């Protein structure tokens, strides 16, 4: 009994002493804080301690002592003040003030000091520098492009890239861009935008230039003319670096001629014939060269008529007749037309062309669009036909027109199926050999004759090649 009561007594005494000791020991009442604020602001970092007693309070930044409550003589850095209530004040904040600050309570031996960490983050608006710093990247078509933006700011900015008014869809907010310049339209301005939510986003611009071989195009690679008139052929050239453009005629560099002038405005290059001479007809080449490469376009100056153009009209179809209307543009009077037609069945091999020779009207005014019509009669009803037309003037035969496909009226053919379309697909075009064969066959208008001549021609060609 006695022993146990002594034990309880000792026990209670021990608990009381430890409680007293803990109560008497200094303890932080303030809690660790991170202060995020802007440049030039003032920040107060608290260090409120219960039971501080005579213990000393010190403020540290890394291993640098900032202030000591026991030594007012210690040289606190400029802009830093420790108040009597142990609060640390940092004024006129600068970027370099970002970091951890430690409040330390130094206790007499054998007790270790106790400490609490605070942090200041001086928010800083983003800034950005392009790489390369010149803001210019020059590559050749097909080369790899490398560009980057170096951003700073607190917190660290995220980078987005914008080109041609659109944000690049990248997997991450990468400061570096790497891609292959495989299309010259990728040239232009690349802007990187650095933002961190503080102030305005910062921007840097990089200009990408892609050097590429000349690209040569032409509106018309066949130009109709006639002796005595004015004519022009032209080509468009784009290139970087700028291309040198030459005109060639029938593969020879074009000699300077009295009646021919060359002009050049922006990317358009023109060859002007003030009065065309018969010797001017031929193939001209617009050839552009820069140090990346060479390209060209061929343009023919010709006296033959422009290919005729059929007028599309489906109201003129009846069961057995079909009226064709076409327009043709020729500076020299048209002498005659060759109208070629054949039946068309979808999915089957078309039959041979039937040729009709149509003499030109009188009253042809050279240099004007000339309209002519012709009615095909004796056609099968409810059938589809194809037709094409060639015109001849003093310089020869024009190229065939686009193929026109039309249907005759009849049972099982709805009105809307008479709609005529001009086929421009390559497979509907007459082959040059086909045209030559038809034109050679001047006196032959019947289907059977055309067949025989066609077969003979093929046989002759086969024999010639063996
Ligand atoms: C901070 O003060 C400096 C000097 O007065 C000034 O140049 C700077 O623009 C100020 N910064 C901000 C964010 O106001
Ligand atoms: C502070 O500096 C003054 C004058 O230099 C001196 O008299 C005083 O003793 C110093 N106090 C402490 C705590 O060192
Ligand atoms: C500590 O002192 C500073 C300066 O006098 C004062 O601004 C701050 O409010 C004080 N803090 C407390 C908790 O009294
Ligand atoms: C280049 O890009 C343009 C525009 O995006 C596109 O129309 C063109 O087809 C591209 N050219 C090639 C060769 O890929
Ligand atoms: C079709 O042609 C024939 C003979 O030329 C003519 O008699 C007939 O009236 C024409 N029909 C139509 C609808 O044009």
């Amino acid at each position: 009994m006695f022993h146990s009561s002594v034990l309880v007594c000792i026990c209670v005494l021990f608990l009381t002493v430890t409680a007293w000791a803990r109560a008497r020991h200094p303890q932080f009442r303030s809690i660790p804080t991170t202060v995020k604020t802007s440049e030039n602001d003032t920040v107060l970092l608290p260090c409120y301690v219960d039971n501080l007693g005579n213990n000393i309070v010190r403020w540290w930044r890394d291993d640098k002592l900032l202030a000591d409550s026991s030594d007012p003589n210690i040289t606190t850095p400029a802009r830093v003040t420790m108040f009597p209530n142990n609060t640390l004040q940092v004024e006129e904040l600068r970027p370099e003030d970002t970091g951890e600050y430690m409040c330390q309570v130094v206790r007499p031996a054998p007790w270790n000091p106790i400490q609490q960490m605070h942090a200041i983050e001086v928010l800083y608006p983003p800034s950005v520098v392009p790489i390369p710093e010149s803001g210019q990247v020059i590559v050749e078509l097909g080369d790899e492009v490398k560009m980057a933006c170096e951003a700073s700011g607190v917190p660290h900015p995220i980078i987005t890239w914008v080109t041609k008014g659109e944000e690049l869809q990248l997997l991450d907010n990468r400061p570096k861009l790497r891609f292959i310049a495989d299309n010259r339209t990728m040239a232009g301005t690349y802007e990187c935008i650095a933002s961190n939510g503080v102030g305005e986003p910062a921007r840097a611009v990089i200009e990408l230039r892609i050097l590429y071989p000349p690209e040569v195009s032409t509106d018309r690679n066949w130009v109709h003319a006639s002796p005595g008139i004015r004519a022009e052929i032209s080509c468009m050239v784009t290139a970087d670096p700028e291309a040198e453009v030459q005109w060639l005629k029938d593969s020879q560099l074009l000699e300077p001629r009295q009646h021919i002038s060359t002009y050049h405005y922006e990317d358009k290059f023109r060859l002007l014939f003030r009065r065309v001479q018969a010797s001017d007809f031929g193939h001209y080449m617009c050839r552009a060269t820069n140090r990346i490469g060479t390209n060209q376009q061929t343009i023919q100056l010709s006296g033959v008529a422009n290919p005729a153009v059929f007028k599309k009209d489906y109201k003129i179809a009846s069961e057995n007749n079909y009226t064709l209307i076409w327009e043709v543009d020729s500076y020299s009077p048209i002498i005659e037309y060759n109208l070629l037609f054949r039946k068309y069945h979808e999915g089957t091999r078309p039959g041979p062309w039937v040729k009709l020779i149509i003499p030109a009207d009188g009253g042809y005014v050279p240099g004007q669009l000339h309209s002519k019509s012709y009615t095909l009669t004796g056609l099968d009803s409810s059938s589809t036909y194809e037709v094409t037309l060639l015109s001849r003037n003093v310089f020869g035969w024009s190229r065939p027109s686009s193929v026109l496909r039309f249907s005759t009226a009849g049972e099982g053919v709805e009105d809307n199926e008479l709609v005529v379309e001009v086929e421009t697909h390559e497979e509907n075009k007459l082959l040059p050999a086909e045209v030559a064969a038809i034109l050679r066959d001047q006196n032959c208008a019947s289907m059977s004759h055309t067949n025989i001549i066609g077969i003979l021609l093929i046989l002759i060609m086969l024999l010639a090649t063996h």
Side-chain angles (χ1 to χ4, degrees):
M1 273 311 264
F2 170 79
H3 285 288
S4 66
S5 61
V6 168
L7 260 175
V8 167
C9 223
I10 291 168
C11 211
V12 166
L13 187 68
F14 176 77
L15 284 173
T16 315
V17 166
T18 46
W20 173 82
R22 192 180 291 137
R24 299 293 301 161
H25 271 68
Q27 270 186 328
F28 287 108
R29 182 143 52 84
S30 45
I31 52 165
T33 45
T34 296
V35 183
K36 295 186 180 193
T37 188
S38 324
E39 195 187 5
N40 294 345
D41 275 1
T42 299
V43 163
L44 294 175
L45 296 179
C47 189
Y48 307 143
V49 185
D50 286 333
N51 305 321
L52 182 58
N54 291 325
N55 293 319
I56 297 165
V57 174
R58 285 180 181 150
W59 276 98
W60 296 82
R61 165 111 195 253
D62 302 326
D63 3 335
K64 186 173 161 35
L65 181 62
L66 298 176
D68 184 330
S69 64
S70 68
D71 184 3
N73 287 2
I74 209 154
T75 46
T76 33
R79 305 185 289 111
V80 176
T81 318
M82 183 179 176
F83 292 128
N85 61 13
N86 295 327
T87 294
L88 189 78
Q89 172 181 277
V90 187
E91 285 175 291
E92 292 169 42
L93 280 169
R94 294 182 190 167
E96 62 266 26
D97 295 327
T98 294
E100 293 197 318
Y101 292 76
M102 184 175 80
C103 175
Q104 185 181 55
V105 178
V106 185
R107 300 180 293 177
W111 311 107
N112 286 328
I114 59 165
Q115 48 215 29
Q116 185 171 58
M117 302 302 290
H118 297 280
I120 296 178
E121 201 172 298
V122 182
L123 301 181
Y124 213 67
S127 63
V128 74
V129 179
I131 298 169
E133 255 178 90
S134 65
Q136 269 242 330
V137 176
I138 303 177
V139 298
E140 283 186 21
L141 193 66
D143 283 356
E144 187 179 59
V145 175
K146 285 188 209 167
M147 55 174 80
C149 274
E150 208 170 69
S152 48
V154 181
H156 198 73
I158 60 163
I159 305 267
T160 50
W161 290 88
V162 171
T163 186
K164 300 189 197 335
E166 281 187 29
E167 188 178 325
L168 290 178
Q169 297 304 317
L170 302 174
L171 295 179
D172 45 13
N173 302 108
R174 65 184 72 174
K176 286 184 185 155
L177 276 191
R178 261 172 95 138
F179 57 87
I180 303 293
D182 53 6
N183 189 327
R184 68 174 181 83
T185 62
M186 292 169 156
T189 301
Y190 288 76
E191 189 179 37
C192 68
I193 302 171
S195 43
N196 66 355
V198 182
E200 289 292 305
R203 291 155 191 275
V205 164
I206 297 172
E207 206 64 51
L208 173 63
R209 189 174 155 196
I210 300 176
L211 306 182
Y212 62 98
E215 289 174 7
V216 186
S217 63
T218 178
D219 295 338
R220 299 195 298 161
N221 49 25
W222 189 86
V223 172
H224 174 55
S226 161
I229 71 152
R230 184 188 145 98
E232 180 188 299
I233 61 181
S234 64
C235 64
M236 269 77 70
V237 177
T238 56
D240 195 356
E242 202 176 322
E244 192 194 324
V245 175
Q246 292 175 319
W247 285 100
L248 292 85
K249 175 164 190 262
D250 300 327
S251 308
Q252 300 285 312
L253 213 55
L254 192 66
E255 301 283 335
R257 302 284 301 276
Q258 270 281 303
H259 67 292
I260 305 176
S261 327
T262 55
Y263 295 96
H264 159 212
Y265 178 68
E266 288 178 353
D267 58 358
K268 187 157 184 175
F269 292 78
R270 300 189 299 150
L271 197 57
L272 181 70
F273 303 83
R274 272 187 292 279
R275 277 176 72 84
V276 172
Q277 299 176 2
S279 61
D280 292 333
F281 292 133
H283 291 84
Y284 291 81
M285 185 187 278
C286 165
R287 188 168 72 188
T289 307
N290 67 7
R291 68 176 170 85
I292 315 290
T294 293
N295 265 311
Q296 59 271 320
Q297 277 284 334
T298 302
I299 303 149
Q300 188 182 356
L301 186 71
S302 166
V304 308
N306 275 303
V309 176
F310 285 113
K311 305 293 274 181
K312 283 201 266 182
D313 192 345
Y314 48 90
K315 294 186 200 77
I316 47 183
S318 69
E319 282 198 17
N320 304 107
N321 304 353
Y322 189 89
T323 302
L324 294 160
I325 303 171
W326 66 84
E327 280 181 347
V328 63
D329 177 20
S330 171
Y331 285 108
S332 310
I334 299 292
I335 299 162
E336 63 174 343
Y337 300 101
N338 273 189
L339 182 70
L340 310 173
F341 74 101
R342 66 182 174 191
K343 235 173 164 168
Y344 169 82
H345 281 294
E346 196 166 353
T348 62
R349 230 179 122 249
W353 291 100
V354 179
K355 183 167 77 178
L356 292 174
I357 298 167
I358 302 169
D361 311 334
Y364 185 90
V365 182
Q368 282 189 1
L369 265 188
H370 188 67
S371 268
K372 183 159 172 65
S373 72
Y374 184 84
T375 303
L376 285 171
T377 57
L379 300 172
D380 297 339
S381 61
S382 314
S383 302
T384 301
Y385 289 87
E386 286 184 329
V387 59
T388 182
L389 186 88
L390 297 93
S391 331
R392 184 164 73 89
N393 66 12
V394 67
F395 294 102
W397 285 99
S398 74
R399 286 173 301 150
S401 70
S402 293
V403 173
L404 179 81
R405 200 173 283 170
F406 64 86
S407 298
T408 50
E411 253 178 82
V413 179
E414 301 293 327
D415 265 2
N416 59 4
E417 288 173 349
L418 302 176
V419 174
V420 159
E421 49 186 78
V422 177
E423 298 288 329
T424 50
H425 304 305
E426 225 27 67
E427 71 260 27
N428 285 317
K429 283 220 181 102
L430 273 78
L431 301 170
E434 212 176 353
V435 174
I438 289 161
L439 293 178
R440 239 172 296 161
D441 170 30
Q442 278 304 321
N443 305 313
C444 230
S446 86
M447 200 182 289
S448 53
H449 280 129
T450 319
N451 262 340
I452 292 162
I453 298 282
I455 289 162
L456 277 177
L457 274 170
I458 290 164
L459 282 174
I460 290 163
M461 278 157 67
L462 282 172
L463 286 172
T465 51
H466 282 83

